[in-house]
Amino acid sequence: RGRIGLQRPETRRAPRLTAHGDILGGRLKPFSDGLMLQSAASTIYLRRITIMAQNIQAALQQLNTLILGKEDVLKQLLACILADGHVLLEDVPGVGKTTLAHGVAAVLGLDYRRVQFTNDMLPSDLLGINIYRPNEGKFEFHPGPVFHSFLLADEINRASPKLQSALLEAMEEKQVSVDGRTYRLPKPFIVVATQNPTEQLGTFPLPESQLDRFMMRLSMGYPAAEAEKMLYFHGDRRRELPKIQPVCNAETLTAWQQQAAQTKFAQAAADYVFRLVQATRQPGLFVTGLSPRAGLAVVNAAKAWAFMHGRGHVLPDDIKAVWISVTNHRLRPLQQGGSSTQLLNGILNHVAVQ
């Protein structure tokens, strides 16, 4: 009696993280600079990206039954789409590039159109054309295949440079101009282009300005031995396409893209990307180093990669995961016969995370 009671201050346990900084207990710790999301709005946001991550996982499971043994390529492709980017699939014919694109469009519930590029195609074959109606005394615009949410430009390097350049405005500005009038493209608008190796006959190399419009360049490669044996045993996997169930639609995917763009990107992450980009500009490695646009592509792809894995912040591992796919088609080694992929891996190994 007569004592003054002292109330012990409430102690809070620090949020626990997995080895990769994932969510545990509903809390999130992004980067070493101490940003933290704990508000009610953040809880709703985390719930949304958790649901999205579950849907993406369901999409991957379906695509893995269609394309055997290529889960990493599938993840990179989906991350690029979440980042609102375009993809260039470069490989030899017959490894499943077209089937992959068709399956991704189906699982995302998008309006899909395939265009087989040839050397005699005209820009109007892709963009559309104005047709005169004499009874009405006016022209009527008939949109071309570019007016679809998911456009597969099959064998794009078999088309003439004139047709290749017709895609530039559509890919960059999400619009096309025909006879002085501008037409907006649907949202989302995604271009997946396939390309045969340039040493094959009848190909026109894509100009650097066109290559730069693709956020990622991916290569599927030959399937692993067990996956190829399974393919021969079960037969053509294109028969599985009608079985694919969409996990979203165009409106939902657009919302996911907007949410992915809001993923937290700390100053430490920006510094890391800057040092990686600067390393490509050192003398003796490449003809020209990466541009700021390429650095922004790395940032956006890393945000989408983190978002796809259920995180509201970017880790250095997210940047490393997309680094090669985003940058390898934008660089040409100085040494003849050199590999940009090997040089970029060397940069990853030498630029430290701070």
Side-chain angles (χ1 to χ4, degrees):
R1 193 172 64 183
R3 294 181 181 176
I4 300 176
L6 298 178
Q7 185 177 2
R8 295 181 61 185
E10 180 183 359
T11 59
R12 296 183 179 179
R13 298 178 60 184
R16 296 185 299 116
L17 304 175
T18 67
H20 300 287
D22 293 321
I23 304 166
L24 282 181
R27 295 187 176 91
L28 194 66
K29 183 180 179 182
F31 271 91
S32 57
D33 55 5
L35 295 174
M36 197 168 284
L37 301 173
Q38 292 179 326
S39 64
S42 299
T43 302
I44 297 174
Y45 173 75
L46 294 178
R47 187 180 299 116
R48 286 177 179 173
I49 65 173
T50 301
I51 295 173
M52 182 281 311
Q54 293 172 350
N55 287 326
I56 291 295
Q57 187 60 37
L60 284 171
Q61 290 175 357
Q62 294 188 74
L63 292 173
N64 279 325
T65 65
L66 185 67
I67 304 296
L68 304 176
K70 299 296 179 182
E71 185 168 354
D72 183 62
V73 175
L74 295 174
K75 287 183 177 180
Q76 296 276 350
L77 179 53
L78 290 176
C80 186
I81 291 174
L82 284 174
D84 199 14
H86 308 292
V87 183
L88 181 63
L89 294 175
E90 185 179 67
D91 224 317
V92 297
V95 294
K97 302 186 296 293
T98 303
T99 304
L100 169 62
H102 196 173
V104 171
V107 83
L108 296 178
L110 298 178
D111 184 21
Y112 168 81
R113 182 67 180 269
R114 173 189 175 187
V115 177
Q116 180 66 50
F117 278 47
T118 59
N119 58 3
D120 60 348
M121 282 185 65
L122 299 174
S124 58
D125 297 328
L126 179 67
L127 305 181
I129 190 171
N130 283 310
I131 298 178
Y132 183 69
R133 300 294 184 187
N135 294 335
E136 301 176 8
K138 64 179 182 180
F139 287 91
E140 180 181 339
F141 179 67
H142 282 227
V146 76
F147 287 87
H148 288 74
S149 292
F150 195 106
L151 176 67
L152 171 60
D154 212 357
E155 296 186 313
I156 188 175
N157 59 337
R158 291 202 183 278
S160 65
K162 187 175 183 179
L163 179 59
Q164 293 173 1
S165 63
L167 272 177
L168 283 176
E169 183 185 9
M171 295 173 63
E172 185 68 15
E173 304 295 336
K174 307 297 177 71
Q175 65 183 23
V176 297
S177 297
V178 178
D179 294 338
R181 187 171 179 180
T182 299
Y183 300 90
R184 299 295 301 177
L185 295 175
K187 288 186 178 182
F189 176 68
I190 300 160
V191 174
V192 173
T194 68
Q195 175 174 260
N196 294 328
T198 54
E199 62 269 14
Q200 293 191 356
L201 296 176
T203 60
F204 298 87
L206 291 174
E208 293 179 356
S209 59
Q210 181 77 12
L211 284 172
D212 200 43
R213 268 32 179 211
F214 290 97
M215 177 174 283
M216 288 186 180
R217 182 179 69 177
L218 302 174
S219 178
M220 297 182 65
Y222 293 113
E226 292 301 320
E228 191 167 357
K229 293 176 185 178
M230 189 179 301
L231 175 65
Y232 298 152
F233 179 75
H234 291 287
D236 194 342
R237 306 307 296 170
R238 285 179 294 183
R239 294 178 301 181
E240 302 295 321
L241 279 171
K243 301 178 183 179
I244 290 182
Q245 299 296 321
V247 300
C248 65
N249 54 30
E251 183 179 358
T252 303
L253 179 60
T254 301
W256 287 352
Q257 290 174 335
Q258 294 170 352
Q259 292 168 12
Q262 298 172 3
T263 303
K264 296 296 181 181
F265 201 83
Q267 183 62 50
D271 292 343
Y272 182 48
V273 172
F274 172 77
R275 287 183 286 111
L276 288 172
V277 171
Q278 284 289 107
T280 67
R281 301 171 184 170
Q282 294 180 2
L285 292 179
F286 303 103
V287 176
T288 57
L290 290 175
S291 66
R293 179 178 359 193
L296 287 174
V298 173
V299 170
N300 293 332
K303 286 182 176 182
W305 186 267
F307 183 76
M308 188 174 70
H309 288 81
R311 292 192 299 273
H313 61 282
V314 172
L315 298 172
D317 284 346
D318 300 322
I319 298 170
K320 293 178 181 179
V322 301
W323 169 250
I324 301 296
S325 299
V326 173
T327 58
N328 66 355
H329 61 294
R330 306 171 193 264
L331 298 168
R332 283 189 299 151
L334 272 176
Q335 295 184 356
Q336 188 174 4
S339 170
S340 60
T341 300
Q342 292 180 356
L343 294 174
L344 289 168
N345 274 320
I347 289 175
L348 276 182
N349 293 333
H350 285 88
V351 176
V353 178
Q354 297 179 354

